Amino acid sequence: MAHLIEALKAIGVTEVILAINYQPEVMLSFLKDFETKLGIKITCSQETEPLGTAGPLALARDKLIDGSGEPFFVLNSDVISEYPLKEMIQFHKSHGGEASLMVTKVDEPSKYGVVVMEAATGKVEKFVEKPKIFVGNKINAGIYLLNPSVLDWIELKPTSIEKEVFPKIAAEEKLFAMVLPGFWMDIGQPKDYISGLRLYLNSLRKNSSSKLSTGPNIVGNVLIDETASIGEGCLIGPDVAIGPGCVVEPGVRLSRCTVMRGARIKRHACISSSIIGWHSTVGQWARIENMSIMGEDVHVGDEVYSNGGVVLPHKEIKSSILKPQIVM
């Protein structure tokens, strides 16, 4: 989400509204420092019941309409891409329709809902859910630019923007699609999050390599927050992200993993293809691998091994997890 908000700030967006239906104060607390750092206003629109992907727009209607008539972005927080939002604004202005969405090409369109569109203009003709025969290879990328008039299509009730709203706008020939350049990934699942991290770091290497960390203990693409502490003799990378306030003690080995805010990795621990949650601790000589997920405030003992363990928040792990399982 931080990457997404940075992209919005870069094109001049001044306010971000989060559609949340559970514990908004937790998210706002997490983003408070980020809000100050970027100088962007972050607020919440809280649902009392799940409203789908379109209902939250009706709920936030008063916040989205400012009288200017300018379009607003709607973005899914569980996708990652290079976010060419400036180009999307230009595309939206050029076609004169009510709504624009980005689409991305996939190798196996039969797994998705396919967007059928005119190649020359981008005008969306129809949507085909999991087609059995080939009708196209472009799917909804979860990035939209909408005129305020689109809100007139949406009632304050559980509604799908993809299945109920967009087909109606397409039928009026007012919906257009732009092909997303560069990478795209749905990162809603942990294994996809790790894959998305790799794609994002590759993108940084090409476009903003100065943001990546360098040094004798760094291998490949690595992103380390400036407030994190890295001990001597570590080997970090490839494809690693280390968040604010983390402590990585001497001799640690990290690869293809994310270490989130405030976590501590003790001496000689080894972590690969895994996610370490906020304020968690991994003990000395511990080994965490094979898509292990440590939730918030999880404490893994010294010399403990985790092979694909998924540990819920606020747990202490004193014995090894020898095969993939959920620890509640």
Side-chain angles (χ1 to χ4, degrees):
M1 182 178 291
H3 172 47
L4 185 159
I5 295 174
E6 286 175 342
L8 290 168
K9 172 65 177 179
I11 60 162
V13 171
T14 57
E15 182 175 2
V16 173
I17 302 166
L18 305 179
I20 298 177
N21 62 16
Y22 181 67
Q23 293 187 331
E25 66 279 358
V26 174
M27 182 63 73
L28 287 176
S29 175
F30 175 74
L31 292 171
K32 185 176 181 181
D33 292 342
F34 195 72
E35 180 182 35
T36 303
K37 179 181 177 181
L38 284 184
I40 190 168
K41 184 179 179 182
I42 301 175
T43 59
C44 278
S45 176
Q46 185 178 5
E47 306 164 42
T48 55
E49 63 171 329
L51 292 174
T53 53
L57 298 180
L59 183 64
R61 181 187 181 95
D62 291 344
K63 296 183 178 182
L64 294 171
I65 295 180
D66 59 4
S68 69
E70 290 296 310
F72 55 88
F73 284 101
V74 177
L75 304 103
N76 291 351
S77 63
D78 58 357
V79 300
I80 191 168
S81 74
E82 292 180 353
Y83 295 112
L85 303 180
K86 184 178 180 180
E87 292 82 354
M88 192 177 192
I89 292 173
Q90 295 169 347
F91 172 74
H92 185 75
K93 290 179 177 178
S94 71
H95 64 63
E98 277 195 90
S100 300
L101 72 152
M102 282 195 178
V103 294
T104 186
K105 296 178 181 179
V106 295
D107 294 330
E108 297 184 50
S110 61
K111 294 181 178 180
Y112 304 92
V114 173
V115 181
V116 181
M117 54 187 276
E118 290 183 356
T121 65
K123 184 169 67 177
V124 174
E125 298 175 350
K126 61 181 178 179
F127 298 84
V128 182
E129 188 65 26
K130 297 183 179 178
K132 295 187 185 324
I133 60 172
F134 184 84
V135 295
N137 65 345
K138 300 177 184 70
I139 67 169
N140 186 342
I143 303 170
Y144 316 132
L145 186 57
L146 311 177
N147 287 350
S149 58
V150 170
L151 296 174
D152 296 335
W153 296 85
I154 306 171
E155 296 182 50
L156 183 53
K157 65 178 185 178
T159 311
S160 167
I161 196 168
E162 300 86 0
K163 296 180 180 179
E164 299 176 66
V165 179
F166 282 162
K168 293 178 183 177
I169 301 176
E172 297 286 333
E173 299 187 348
K174 295 180 179 180
L175 178 64
F176 292 78
M178 170 184 167
V179 179
L180 176 69
F183 77 94
W184 178 89
M185 188 86 192
D186 183 326
I187 56 172
Q189 298 297 320
K191 63 184 178 68
D192 296 327
Y193 180 92
I194 295 296
S195 298
L197 173 64
R198 175 180 58 80
L199 293 172
Y200 172 58
L201 294 177
N202 282 340
S203 174
L204 282 184
R205 174 66 66 187
K206 294 176 185 176
N207 302 316
S208 303
S209 60
S210 61
K211 293 183 179 180
L212 294 173
S213 302
T214 58
N217 62 334
I218 302 294
V219 178
N221 297 332
V222 173
L223 187 63
I224 302 175
D225 188 86
E226 59 186 10
T227 62
S229 171
I230 310 298
E232 295 182 0
C234 293
L235 186 59
I236 299 175
D239 304 327
V240 171
I242 300 175
C246 290
V247 176
V248 179
E249 296 185 359
V252 166
R253 174 70 175 106
L254 303 176
S255 65
R256 297 179 300 281
C257 66
T258 293
V259 181
M260 295 186 173
R261 177 191 298 264
R264 176 181 289 270
I265 313 301
K266 294 188 176 180
R267 291 171 178 264
H268 305 294
C270 180
I271 301 170
S272 65
S273 301
S274 297
I275 299 172
I276 308 302
W278 304 274
H279 308 291
S280 291
T281 301
V282 176
Q284 299 182 50
W285 296 102
R287 186 177 187 91
I288 311 293
E289 62 185 16
N290 190 25
M291 211 51 62
S292 291
I293 314 296
M294 302 295 128
E296 181 180 10
D297 186 39
V298 167
H299 301 283
V300 179
D302 294 346
E303 302 180 20
V304 166
Y305 171 61
S306 175
N307 173 26
V310 177
V311 183
L312 273 60
H314 314 299
K315 301 293 180 184
E316 184 174 3
I317 305 302
K318 297 180 179 180
S319 56
S320 293
I321 302 170
L322 301 179
K323 60 182 180 180
Q325 62 179 284
I326 299 174
V327 179
M328 302 180 69

